[in-house]
Amino acid sequence: MPRTLTRSHALQQRAEKLFPGGVNSPVRAFPAVGGEPPFLVRAEGAYLWDEDGNRYVDYFGSWGPMILGHAFPPVVEAIQQAASRSASFGASTATEGDLAELVVAAYPSIEKLRFVSSGTEATMSAIRLARAFTGRKYIIKFEGCYHGHADGLLVKAGSGVATFGIPGSAGVPEEAAHFTLALPFNDVGALEAAFAAHPIACIIVEPVVGNAGCIPPAEGYLQALRELTQKHGALLILDEVMTGFRVSLGGAQELYGIHPDMTTLGKILGGGLPCGAFGGRAEIMDQLAPLGPVYQAGTLSGNPLAMAAGIAMIGYLQQHRAEVYAKLEKLSARLVDGVAGTAGAAGVPMTANRVGAMFTWFFTGEPVTDFAGAARSDTKRFGSFHRALLEAGIWLPPSQFEAAFLSTAHTESDIQQTIEAARRFFASE
Ligand code: PMP
């Protein structure tokens, strides 16, 4: 029986009157895949329930944070207890140090850090600091990478910007993006040319790209970024908002053995509450106010609810590290290879990219190693695939240019159900 979406439809009508496009973040809308987004009322473990009582297996995990599944009991309890002591003080609490110690233990490159409330704030602040520290203006980012929506970073950005085919963003003065160089990912030659042409303050990179769909770094590429930045006196910022605690407890820098100057974190860090952080070498971080001349601040930074959720989340990941990441690897491999196998058997061109529990099925037979490669995907076919799976109770991110995620709450049976739904879709095409 097809799903009923009566209540979601009514709520969508109201939302479109109140919010541009009916949403409070463009990536939640469904124009790239067609159909209306269901409105959610509750989630537990790997499942989402909408207003009309339909259940979905969740493969976007609130865009990353829900690595232990939704409403994970230790996180829920920590938030409840913290809320009873006050939602915000605007003064220091021990919990900030407690979470910071967990972060520093997992990320040896972070000597000092500062908490903020989103990934956007983290990357924006890290760039300001890198410019102040080096006394240079130019920054390098990569096509298809998304680092939040600060003006200077909305250049050839991924995620919703790529999904909706927006080249940059209206409202960003040319001057604000003038010092941003956007280069192809996985291309060392392009970097050497940029360093030769401009004094570069920093490179900011998603070490495993997630915002053009999942694109792993080529062998030696991150090492080349490290060597080139060192050679030219520029800083290397790894934007691990998505990869942090996801591809490994210590992020992509642990997985690939890279020691950046600065790191940005978000998503999993706050256990689902608004939270981000940027950190790195102490001599760089000490340029921040009140010690140094670089201004950065936040009324809700280090919010006690976010800290409590983060401590419960990161504490659990640390204590159960081996089993968590082994399970994620095993289940993700089975899922990603299983679905790719059904496409292969049906003669549908597909390239599956995966790093741990972060993955994308691209509808192209060519390898996807950069944004141009991702853009060769058949996005119309991805839209049909998305709609068919949603109808079968499986919710993928509603864009070819967004990574999907798996959690420890997913089961073998969820995965079998997903592979079967994919098989049915490819057979029906
Ligand atoms: N950096 C990366 C790598 C991200 O994936 C995102 C969000 N998807 C951001 C920064 C921005 O984070 P936020 O949405 O919390 O501002």
Side-chain angles (χ1 to χ4, degrees), residues 67 185-186 206-210 213-218 222 240 242-249 251-256 268 325 328-333 336-337 352-362 368 403-406:
I67 192 165
F185 186 70
N186 273 336
E206 289 183 66
V208 176
V209 181
C214 177
I215 307 177
L222 296 175
E240 300 234 40
M242 192 182 284
T243 52
F245 311 103
R246 162 68 53 189
V247 297
S248 153
L249 183 72
Q253 53 195 269
E254 178 177 68
L255 192 63
Y256 297 103
I268 294 173
Y325 292 97
L328 290 173
E329 173 63 28
K330 189 172 120 197
L331 287 181
S332 305
V336 173
D337 297 348
N353 280 357
R354 180 180 75 82
V355 178
M358 171 176 169
F359 53 91
T360 300
W361 294 292
F362 290 103
V368 176
F405 305 106
L406 194 120

Coordinates of all heavy atoms in Angstrom, one line a residue, residues 67 185-186 206-210 213-218 222 240 242-249 251-256 268 325 328-333 336-337 352-362 368 403-406:
I67 N 25.5 9.1 15.1 CA 26.3 7.9 14.8 C 25.9 6.7 15.8 O 26.2 5.5 15.4 CB 27.8 8.2 15.0 CG1 28.7 7.1 14.5 CG2 28.2 8.6 16.4 CD1 30.2 7.5 14.2
F185 N 39.6 19.2 -6.3 CA 40.1 18.2 -5.2 C 41.0 17.1 -5.9 O 40.7 16.8 -7.0 CB 38.9 17.6 -4.5 CG 39.2 16.8 -3.3 CD1 39.6 17.3 -2.1 CD2 38.9 15.4 -3.4 CE1 39.9 16.5 -1.0 CE2 39.2 14.6 -2.3 CZ 39.7 15.2 -1.1
N186 N 41.9 16.6 -5.1 CA 42.8 15.5 -5.6 C 43.7 15.9 -6.7 O 44.1 15.0 -7.5 CB 41.9 14.3 -6.0 CG 41.6 13.4 -4.8 OD1 42.3 13.4 -3.8 ND2 40.5 12.7 -4.9
E206 N 37.8 19.5 3.3 CA 37.2 18.3 3.9 C 38.1 17.1 3.6 O 38.2 16.7 2.4 CB 35.8 18.0 3.2 CG 34.7 19.0 3.5 CD 33.4 18.6 2.9 OE1 32.9 17.6 3.2 OE2 33.0 19.3 1.9
P207 N 38.8 16.5 4.5 CA 39.8 15.5 4.2 C 39.2 14.3 3.5 O 39.9 13.7 2.6 CB 40.3 15.1 5.6 CG 39.4 15.7 6.6 CD 38.7 16.8 6.0
V208 N 37.9 13.9 3.8 CA 37.1 13.1 2.9 C 36.0 13.9 2.6 O 35.2 14.4 3.4 CB 36.6 11.8 3.7 CG1 35.7 11.0 2.8 CG2 37.7 11.0 4.2
V209 N 35.8 14.2 1.3 CA 34.7 15.1 0.9 C 33.4 14.4 1.2 O 33.2 13.3 0.8 CB 34.8 15.5 -0.6 CG1 33.7 16.5 -0.9 CG2 36.2 16.2 -0.9
G210 N 32.4 15.2 1.8 CA 31.1 14.6 2.0 C 30.1 15.4 1.3 O 29.0 14.9 1.0
G213 N 28.8 14.6 -2.3 CA 28.8 13.1 -2.1 C 30.1 12.7 -1.6 O 31.0 13.6 -1.5
C214 N 30.3 11.4 -1.3 CA 31.5 11.0 -0.6 C 32.7 10.8 -1.6 O 32.5 10.0 -2.5 CB 31.2 9.7 0.2 SG 32.7 9.0 1.0
I215 N 33.7 11.6 -1.4 CA 34.9 11.4 -2.3 C 36.2 11.3 -1.4 O 36.6 12.3 -0.7 CB 35.1 12.7 -3.2 CG1 33.8 12.9 -4.0 CG2 36.3 12.4 -4.2 CD1 33.8 14.1 -4.9
P216 N 36.8 10.1 -1.4 CA 38.0 9.9 -0.6 C 39.2 10.7 -1.2 O 39.2 10.9 -2.4 CB 38.2 8.4 -0.6 CG 37.0 7.8 -1.2 CD 36.4 8.9 -2.0
P217 N 40.2 11.0 -0.3 CA 41.4 11.6 -0.9 C 42.2 10.5 -1.6 O 42.2 9.4 -1.2 CB 42.1 12.1 0.4 CG 41.7 11.1 1.5 CD 40.2 10.8 1.1
A218 N 42.8 10.9 -2.7 CA 43.7 10.0 -3.4 C 44.9 9.7 -2.5 O 45.2 10.5 -1.6 CB 44.2 10.6 -4.7
L222 N 46.5 14.1 0.9 CA 46.5 14.9 2.1 C 48.0 15.2 2.6 O 48.2 16.3 3.1 CB 45.7 14.2 3.2 CG 44.2 14.0 2.9 CD1 43.5 13.2 4.0 CD2 43.5 15.4 2.7
E240 N 36.8 18.9 9.8 CA 36.3 17.6 10.1 C 35.0 17.6 10.8 O 34.6 16.8 11.6 CB 37.4 16.9 11.1 CG 38.7 16.7 10.5 CD 39.3 15.3 10.5 OE1 38.5 14.3 10.3 OE2 40.5 15.1 10.8
M242 N 32.3 16.9 9.4 CA 31.6 15.7 9.1 C 32.4 14.5 9.4 O 31.8 13.5 9.9 CB 31.2 15.7 7.6 CG 30.3 14.6 7.1 SD 30.0 14.7 5.4 CE 28.8 16.0 5.2
T243 N 33.7 14.5 9.1 CA 34.5 13.3 9.3 C 34.9 13.0 10.7 O 35.2 11.9 11.1 CB 35.8 13.4 8.4 OG1 36.4 14.6 8.7 CG2 35.4 13.3 7.0
G244 N 34.9 14.1 11.6 CA 35.3 14.0 13.0 C 34.5 13.0 13.7 O 33.2 13.1 13.7
F245 N 35.1 12.1 14.4 CA 34.4 11.0 15.2 C 33.6 10.1 14.3 O 32.9 9.2 14.8 CB 33.5 11.6 16.3 CG 34.1 12.7 17.1 CD1 33.8 14.0 16.9 CD2 35.0 12.3 18.1 CE1 34.4 15.0 17.6 CE2 35.6 13.3 18.9 CZ 35.3 14.7 18.6
R246 N 33.6 10.3 13.0 CA 32.8 9.5 12.0 C 33.7 8.4 11.3 O 33.4 7.2 11.5 CB 32.2 10.5 11.0 CG 31.6 9.9 9.7 CD 30.4 9.0 9.8 NE 29.3 9.5 10.5 CZ 28.2 8.8 10.8 NH1 28.1 7.5 10.4 NH2 27.2 9.3 11.5
V247 N 34.7 8.9 10.6 CA 35.5 7.9 9.9 C 36.5 7.2 10.8 O 37.1 6.1 10.5 CB 36.3 8.5 8.7 CG1 35.3 9.1 7.7 CG2 37.3 9.6 9.2
S248 N 36.6 7.7 12.0 CA 37.5 7.1 13.1 C 37.3 8.1 14.3 O 36.8 9.2 14.1 CB 38.9 7.1 12.6 OG 39.8 7.2 13.7
L249 N 37.5 7.6 15.5 CA 37.3 8.5 16.6 C 38.2 9.8 16.4 O 37.7 10.9 16.7 CB 37.7 7.8 18.0 CG 37.5 8.7 19.2 CD1 36.0 8.8 19.5 CD2 38.2 8.1 20.4
G251 N 39.1 11.1 13.7 CA 38.7 11.7 12.4 C 39.6 11.2 11.3 O 40.4 10.2 11.4
A252 N 39.6 12.0 10.2 CA 40.4 11.6 9.0 C 41.9 11.8 9.3 O 42.7 11.1 8.7 CB 40.0 12.5 7.8
Q253 N 42.2 12.8 10.2 CA 43.6 13.0 10.5 C 44.2 11.8 11.1 O 45.4 11.5 10.9 CB 43.8 14.2 11.3 CG 43.0 14.4 12.6 CD 43.1 15.8 13.1 OE1 44.0 16.2 13.9 NE2 42.2 16.7 12.7
E254 N 43.4 11.0 11.9 CA 43.9 9.8 12.5 C 44.0 8.7 11.4 O 45.0 8.0 11.3 CB 43.0 9.4 13.6 CG 43.4 8.1 14.3 CD 42.5 7.7 15.4 OE1 41.3 7.4 15.2 OE2 43.0 7.8 16.6
L255 N 43.0 8.6 10.7 CA 42.9 7.6 9.6 C 44.0 7.7 8.6 O 44.6 6.7 8.2 CB 41.5 7.7 8.9 CG 41.1 6.6 8.0 CD1 40.9 5.3 8.8 CD2 39.8 6.9 7.3
Y256 N 44.3 8.9 8.2 CA 45.3 9.1 7.2 C 46.7 9.6 7.7 O 47.6 9.8 6.9 CB 44.8 10.1 6.1 CG 43.6 9.6 5.4 CD1 42.3 10.1 5.7 CD2 43.7 8.6 4.4 CE1 41.2 9.6 5.0 CE2 42.6 8.1 3.8 CZ 41.3 8.6 4.1 OH 40.2 8.1 3.4
I268 N 28.7 15.3 15.3 CA 28.8 14.3 16.3 C 29.2 14.9 17.7 O 28.8 14.5 18.7 CB 29.7 13.1 15.9 CG1 29.1 12.4 14.7 CG2 30.0 12.2 17.1 CD1 30.1 11.3 14.1
Y325 N 33.5 1.2 15.9 CA 34.0 1.4 14.5 C 34.1 0.1 13.7 O 34.0 0.1 12.5 CB 35.3 2.2 14.5 CG 35.0 3.6 15.0 CD1 35.2 4.0 16.4 CD2 34.5 4.6 14.2 CE1 34.9 5.3 16.9 CE2 34.2 5.9 14.7 CZ 34.4 6.2 16.0 OH 34.0 7.4 16.5
L328 N 30.5 -0.4 12.5 CA 30.2 0.5 11.4 C 30.8 0.1 10.1 O 30.2 0.2 9.1 CB 30.6 1.9 11.8 CG 29.8 2.6 12.9 CD1 30.5 3.9 13.3 CD2 28.4 2.9 12.6
E329 N 32.1 -0.3 10.2 CA 32.8 -0.7 9.0 C 32.1 -1.9 8.3 O 31.8 -2.0 7.1 CB 34.2 -1.0 9.4 CG 35.1 -1.6 8.2 CD 35.3 -0.7 7.0 OE1 35.2 0.5 7.2 OE2 35.4 -1.2 5.9
K330 N 31.8 -2.9 9.2 CA 31.3 -4.2 8.6 C 29.9 -4.0 8.0 O 29.6 -4.4 6.9 CB 31.2 -5.2 9.8 CG 30.8 -6.6 9.4 CD 30.9 -7.6 10.5 CE 29.6 -8.2 10.7 NZ 29.4 -8.9 12.0
L331 N 29.0 -3.3 8.7 CA 27.7 -3.1 8.2 C 27.6 -2.2 7.0 O 26.9 -2.4 6.0 CB 26.8 -2.5 9.3 CG 26.3 -3.4 10.5 CD1 25.4 -2.6 11.4 CD2 25.6 -4.6 9.9
S332 N 28.5 -1.1 7.0 CA 28.5 -0.2 5.9 C 29.0 -0.9 4.7 O 28.5 -0.7 3.6 CB 29.4 1.0 6.2 OG 29.0 1.6 7.4
A333 N 30.0 -1.7 4.8 CA 30.6 -2.5 3.6 C 29.5 -3.3 3.0 O 29.3 -3.3 1.8 CB 31.8 -3.3 4.0
V336 N 26.8 -1.0 1.3 CA 27.2 -0.2 0.2 C 27.5 -1.2 -1.0 O 27.1 -1.0 -2.1 CB 28.4 0.7 0.5 CG1 29.0 1.3 -0.7 CG2 28.0 1.7 1.5
D337 N 28.2 -2.3 -0.7 CA 28.5 -3.3 -1.7 C 27.3 -4.0 -2.2 O 27.1 -4.3 -3.4 CB 29.6 -4.3 -1.2 CG 30.9 -3.6 -0.9 OD1 31.1 -2.4 -1.2 OD2 31.7 -4.3 -0.2
A352 N 30.3 3.3 -6.2 CA 30.1 3.5 -4.8 C 31.4 3.9 -4.1 O 32.4 3.3 -4.3 CB 29.6 2.1 -4.2
N353 N 31.3 5.1 -3.5 CA 32.4 5.6 -2.7 C 32.1 5.5 -1.2 O 31.0 5.8 -0.8 CB 32.7 7.1 -3.0 CG 33.5 7.2 -4.3 OD1 33.8 6.3 -5.0 ND2 33.7 8.5 -4.7
R354 N 33.1 5.0 -0.4 CA 32.8 4.8 1.0 C 34.1 5.0 1.8 O 35.1 4.4 1.4 CB 32.2 3.4 1.2 CG 31.9 3.1 2.7 CD 31.3 1.7 2.9 NE 32.3 0.7 2.7 CZ 33.1 0.3 3.7 NH1 33.0 0.9 4.9 NH2 34.0 -0.6 3.5
V355 N 34.0 5.7 2.9 CA 35.0 5.6 4.0 C 34.3 5.4 5.3 O 33.6 6.2 5.8 CB 35.8 7.0 4.0 CG1 36.9 6.9 5.1 CG2 36.5 7.2 2.7
G356 N 34.5 4.2 5.8 CA 33.8 3.8 7.1 C 32.3 3.9 6.8 O 31.8 3.5 5.8
A357 N 31.6 4.6 7.8 CA 30.1 4.7 7.7 C 29.7 6.0 7.0 O 28.7 6.6 7.4 CB 29.6 4.6 9.1
M358 N 30.4 6.4 6.0 CA 30.1 7.6 5.2 C 30.2 7.2 3.8 O 31.3 6.7 3.4 CB 31.2 8.7 5.6 CG 31.2 9.9 4.8 SD 32.4 11.0 5.6 CE 32.5 12.2 4.3
F359 N 29.2 7.4 3.0 CA 29.2 6.8 1.6 C 28.2 7.5 0.7 O 27.3 8.2 1.1 CB 28.8 5.3 1.7 CG 27.5 5.0 2.4 CD1 26.3 4.9 1.7 CD2 27.5 4.8 3.8 CE1 25.1 4.7 2.4 CE2 26.3 4.5 4.5 CZ 25.1 4.5 3.8
T360 N 28.4 7.2 -0.6 CA 27.5 7.7 -1.7 C 27.5 6.7 -2.8 O 28.5 6.2 -3.2 CB 28.0 9.1 -2.2 OG1 28.0 10.0 -1.2 CG2 27.0 9.6 -3.3
W361 N 26.3 6.4 -3.3 CA 26.1 5.7 -4.6 C 25.9 6.7 -5.7 O 24.9 7.3 -5.8 CB 24.9 4.8 -4.5 CG 25.0 3.7 -3.5 CD1 25.8 2.6 -3.5 CD2 24.2 3.5 -2.3 NE1 25.6 1.8 -2.4 CE2 24.6 2.3 -1.7 CE3 23.2 4.3 -1.7 CZ2 24.1 1.9 -0.5 CZ3 22.6 3.8 -0.5 CH2 23.1 2.6 0.1
F362 N 27.0 6.9 -6.5 CA 26.9 7.8 -7.6 C 26.3 7.1 -8.8 O 26.8 6.0 -9.1 CB 28.3 8.4 -8.0 CG 28.8 9.3 -7.0 CD1 29.8 8.9 -6.1 CD2 28.4 10.7 -6.9 CE1 30.4 9.8 -5.1 CE2 28.9 11.5 -6.0 CZ 29.9 11.1 -5.1
V368 N 34.7 8.5 -9.3 CA 34.4 9.9 -8.8 C 35.5 10.3 -7.8 O 35.6 9.8 -6.7 CB 33.0 10.0 -8.1 CG1 32.8 11.4 -7.6 CG2 31.9 9.6 -9.1
A403 N 26.7 13.1 1.3 CA 27.0 11.7 1.8 C 25.9 11.1 2.6 O 25.1 11.9 3.3 CB 28.3 11.8 2.6
A404 N 25.8 9.8 2.6 CA 24.8 9.1 3.5 C 25.7 8.5 4.7 O 26.9 8.4 4.6 CB 24.1 8.0 2.7
F405 N 24.9 8.2 5.8 CA 25.6 7.7 7.0 C 24.9 6.5 7.5 O 23.7 6.4 7.5 CB 25.6 8.8 8.0 CG 26.2 10.1 7.6 CD1 25.4 11.2 7.4 CD2 27.6 10.2 7.4 CE1 26.0 12.4 6.9 CE2 28.2 11.4 7.0 CZ 27.4 12.5 6.8
L406 N 25.7 5.7 8.2 CA 25.1 4.6 8.9 C 25.4 4.7 10.4 O 26.4 5.4 10.8 CB 25.7 3.3 8.4 CG 25.0 2.0 8.7 CD1 24.6 1.3 7.5 CD2 26.0 1.1 9.5

